[in-house]
Amino acid sequence: MPRVLVVGGTGLAGRAVTAEAIERGHDVVVASRRVPDDDAPAYVPGADYRFADLVTGDGLEEVLEGADVLVDASNGGGRAASHVFASGSQNLLHTAARFGVRQAVLLSIVNVDRSAYPYYRAKAAQERNYQESPIETRIVRATQFHDFITAFFERGSRLGVIPAPTKISFQPIAVGDVARVLVDAAEGHGAPNATRSIGGPEIRTARELAGEWKSVTGGRGAIVGLRVGGPLGATWRAGENLVPADALDGVTYRDWLSSSVA
Ligand SMILES: NC(=O)c1ccc[n+]([C@@H]2O[C@H](COP(=O)([O-])OP(=O)(O)OC[C@H]3O[C@@H](n4cnc5c(N)ncnc54)[C@H](OP(=O)(O)O)[C@@H]3O)[C@@H](O)[C@H]2O)c1
C-alpha cells in the first residue's frame, strides 16, 4: 500500500482523513507541530505521528522521505494563515518534489478565489502553489463543515443568543464525507491537476440551521438575525459558499447533530 502523509493530520479534517486512510489499509504518517499522546482525542491508532513545521520547514524532509502521496489538511488562523498557506505550502511542495512524492492533494474551500476575505486570499495563494507544482496535484474544495456552523451557534448560545446570519444560506458537509473524497483523490481517483468542488446534501438558510441546532441540542438562547459584515459576509450573501450542482449524497446537518448529541 502507498505511504500517505497527512499534513495537519491532528486537526479536525486531518483526523478524519487519517482515520479513513488507516481504515483503507494505507501506511499513514501524520505531520504537525504538536505530536499527540496516544490517549489524546487527536490520536488515531495505527498512524505514525511526527513533528514538522510547514512555515520554518523543520522536519519536512524527515516526514516526506518515503511518502508516495501527501494530503494537506493544514490550517492557520489570523496572520498565521498566510504563513501556513502561502509560504508553508511552497516549502512543503518544493521538499516533496525533491523527495520524489508522486501526488499531492489539497483540502480547500469552494470558490475561495472569488473573495477578498484575507483568509480566503491566503487559501487561494495556497491553491496556486499546488496548481504550479511539478507534482501531480488534486484540489478538493469543500463547503463549510457541520462543525464550523455548529461552533458559530455554540459561541453565541453561551452569551444567550443564537446568531443566524441574515440573507445567507449554507450547504454544510460532514467532515467524514470530505475525508472520503480526499482519500479517493490520494488514491488517484479523478482527473489529475484538477479542482473538484463538493458540498453537503442540503442548502439551508442560516436561520433554518440555527433552528435545527436549537431543537436537536436544546441549546439556550433566542435565534437572532445577524448581519455578517466585511468581505466574508459579502462572499456568503453572494452565495459563493454554495455549490448546488456538486452536492454529495452525504450526512445532513440534522442527522450529524443527532449522532453528535447521542
Ligand atoms: N472549517 C471549514 O468549514 C472548512 C471548510 C472547507 C475547507 N476547510 C479547510 O480545511 C483545512 C483544515 O481545517 P481544520 O478546521 O481541519 O483545521 P484545524 O482543525 O485547525 O487543524 C489544523 C492542522 O494544521 C496543523 N498545523 C497548523 N500550523 C502548522 C504548521 N505551521 N506546520 C504543520 N502543521 C500545522 C495543526 O497542528 P499543529 O497546530 O500542532 O501544528 C493541525 O493538525 C483548512 O485549510 C481549511 O481552510 C475548512
Side-chain angles (χ1 to χ4, degrees):
M1 270 305 207
R3 177 178 287 191
V4 181
L5 172 67
V6 185
V7 182
T10 56
L12 175 65
R15 285 199 295 273
V17 171
T18 301
E20 179 69 22
I22 298 253
E23 173 79 24
R24 294 194 200 183
H26 294 292
D27 176 9
V28 179
V29 174
V30 168
S32 59
R33 292 167 303 172
R34 285 161 298 178
V35 173
D37 293 331
D38 58 12
D39 58 353
Y43 183 85
V44 177
D48 177 6
Y49 288 87
R50 308 222 196 129
F51 163 84
D53 187 333
L54 290 169
V55 178
T56 62
D58 292 343
L60 284 181
E61 294 190 346
E62 289 79 357
V63 294
L64 284 160
E65 171 125 53
D68 299 293
V69 49
L70 70 86
V71 179
D72 186 350
S74 63
N75 199 6
R79 257 186 291 163
S82 82
H83 296 140
V84 172
F85 294 144
S87 355
S89 62
Q90 216 155 32
N91 290 338
L92 176 67
L93 291 165
H94 284 165
T95 314
R98 277 203 291 120
F99 277 77
V101 173
R102 288 186 289 104
Q103 291 181 59
V105 177
L106 171 65
L107 171 56
S108 191
I109 303 170
V110 298
N111 292 323
V112 78
D113 54 341
R114 294 167 70 163
S115 175
Y117 182 49
Y119 176 89
Y120 281 22
R121 287 165 65 139
K123 286 289 295 179
Q126 183 191 36
E127 284 195 347
R128 282 194 296 279
N129 287 338
Y130 275 76
Q131 284 152 354
E132 288 162 12
S133 167
I135 299 175
E136 180 176 301
T137 61
R138 286 175 176 78
I139 298 174
V140 175
R141 288 174 158 186
T143 52
Q144 281 67 47
F145 303 154
H146 290 328
D147 315 72
F148 174 84
I149 306 286
T150 300
F152 197 71
F153 299 144
E154 279 174 354
R155 270 199 300 274
S157 174
R158 275 184 229 123
L159 305 172
V161 286
I162 304 167
T166 48
K167 298 190 165 81
I168 290 172
S169 292
F170 291 102
Q171 188 180 352
I173 190 166
V175 160
D177 289 329
V178 176
R180 272 187 286 283
V181 174
L182 287 167
V183 178
D184 287 348
E187 290 175 344
H189 296 284
N193 306 313
T195 298
R196 175 179 178 191
S197 293
I198 53 170
E202 300 175 331
I203 294 177
R204 312 291 303 276
T205 65
R207 185 168 281 273
E208 286 169 340
L209 292 166
E212 292 206 330
W213 180 80
K214 189 174 159 82
S215 78
V216 175
T217 65
R220 215 166 51 83
I223 299 172
V224 174
L226 168 85
R227 185 181 159 79
V228 180
L232 184 60
T235 299
W236 286 349
R237 272 189 298 282
E240 299 286 11
N241 57 330
L242 308 174
V243 286
D246 299 306
L248 287 190
D249 183 21
V251 181
T252 63
Y253 188 57
R254 175 169 282 274
D255 287 350
W256 178 86
L257 272 178
S258 304
S259 61
S260 308
V261 167

